[in-house]
Amino acid sequence: MSDTLGTDAATDRQSQGTPRVGGAAESASSTSPRAAGRRRGRAKMRLEIAVLSGPAIIMFFAFVIFPVALAAYYGFYRWHGYGAATDWVGLNNYKLILTDSAFQQVLWHNSLIMVLSLVFQGPLAIILALLLNQKIRGRSIIRVLIFVPYIISEVIVGTGWSLMLQSNGAVNDLLQHIGLGFLQADWLSDPELAIWTLMGIISWKYIGFAVILMLAGLQSIPEELFEAAQIDGASYWQIQRRITLPLLGPTIRIWAFLSIIGSLQLFDLVYIIWGQYVSGTAGTSTMAIYMLAQGRNAGNYGYGSAVAVVMFLISLIVALIYQRFVLRRDLQGAVTEGAA
């Protein structure tokens, strides 16, 4: 009797264990295709990323990283632009750059242009954006007229303004005809006026870009916030100070970053209007103009390459500092939203 009970118990255990083994096998068989599908999906995503970003990465390395590395290499030589670079000078080019009073002067000009661009263009762009964000007659035409100078070629802008601002140009002639002849001046050659003339041209040229950015930022602010503030009795300027400007902060910071980098690399307008020689005496020369004059035109491409590397490093350091202390919270918000 005991043997029969033992046999039955063993049979029951075997029968109970058999489904468990089958269930594990079925689970494994169902999980394996799912895991394979996920792997195929990840591989497909990596392939798409490589195909879409590959050309941009190749272009970036070919036209940014490689030229910078090549300029850094030639910066250690006294090289005249042809043949192999054999006259090794080490860090002498860089020492000369940092101790040259002319380079310090052009660095000051770039810094001044950078600060004045932020001070002049920023508030003016915000004011114009607030006005053009209202429902006024002819708003679309005014927006187009403000943005048109930005899309005009720098060559056309520089040539036109250089002709109008000459001593016998249209600006002085207009001042004479309207009875303001006492305001006539040598707008391009006077060192006390030339930098302000340059700032006026830069502001006229690029204010449209800043206004368009500010308008885009204003469009992203929900109307419900303004309506709630009006219901609570807030005035127009209180709404702008407490709601509009804080929410417009990311757009302002992005525009300021673009303006800073553009000011450090300014070349075309100065070269077209003043040229490489007049710009030095007029007080409008920039680091890019200095690089051209002391590098290619002087036949010392090694020194010019070193200047290019210094310009790149200055721009990189400024960009990293700005990103670290100004754009950090905007980037953190973007990363948090992307992770969510």
Side-chain angles (χ1 to χ4, degrees), residues 268-302:
D268 39 21
L269 286 177
V270 177
Y271 183 76
I272 295 167
I273 297 175
W274 282 274
Q276 58 180 324
Y277 301 110
V278 179
S279 61
T281 58
T284 58
S285 184
T286 62
M287 289 188 290
I289 298 294
Y290 176 86
M291 177 185 65
L292 177 68
Q294 302 298 325
R296 190 192 70 178
N297 294 342
N300 192 352
Y301 286 82

Side-chain angles (χ1 to χ4, degrees), residues 1-198:
M1 185 70 178
S2 61
D3 293 341
T4 302
L5 292 175
T7 303
D8 293 340
T11 303
D12 292 339
R13 286 194 298 269
Q14 291 176 358
S15 64
Q16 292 174 0
T18 302
R20 287 197 297 269
V21 175
E26 292 176 359
S27 177
S29 63
S30 63
T31 305
S32 179
R34 191 180 305 166
R38 285 197 298 266
R39 287 194 296 269
R40 286 194 297 269
R42 287 194 294 266
K44 183 179 179 180
M45 183 180 64
R46 294 192 187 99
L47 179 61
E48 291 177 353
I49 293 175
V51 171
L52 295 175
S53 62
I57 294 175
I58 294 174
M59 295 288 288
F60 178 76
F61 274 90
F63 294 100
V64 178
I65 302 300
F66 178 71
V68 170
L70 198 61
Y73 170 76
Y74 285 123
F76 293 109
Y77 292 88
R78 184 179 291 108
W79 185 54
H80 300 291
Y82 55 88
T86 57
D87 191 0
W88 171 268
V89 296
L91 296 175
N92 287 342
N93 285 334
Y94 296 96
K95 293 178 181 178
L96 181 58
I97 293 171
L98 298 178
T99 57
D100 187 6
S101 60
F103 180 80
Q104 296 172 2
Q105 184 180 26
V106 298
L107 179 60
W108 164 250
H109 292 163
N110 279 102
S111 302
L112 184 61
I113 292 169
M114 178 181 66
V115 173
L116 293 179
S117 296
L118 296 176
V119 172
F120 289 164
Q121 296 182 41
L124 182 59
I126 294 173
I127 294 173
L128 290 175
L130 290 175
L131 292 175
L132 295 177
N133 199 43
Q134 305 296 319
K135 296 180 180 179
I136 58 177
R137 187 186 297 263
R139 179 177 62 176
S140 299
I141 297 177
I142 298 174
R143 288 180 178 181
V144 172
L145 293 176
I146 290 177
F147 189 69
V148 162
Y150 178 71
I151 62 177
I152 299 177
S153 170
E154 279 77 4
V155 175
I156 297 176
V157 172
T159 303
W161 279 107
S162 64
L163 293 174
M164 290 189 295
L165 291 172
Q166 292 179 1
S167 299
N168 56 350
V171 173
N172 283 338
D173 189 59
L174 176 63
L175 293 174
Q176 180 67 34
H177 278 79
I178 62 177
L180 298 176
F182 63 93
L183 294 178
Q184 290 180 333
D186 193 354
W187 305 101
L188 300 179
S189 301
D190 189 348
E192 296 182 358
L193 292 176
I195 189 66
W196 301 105
T197 301
L198 175 61

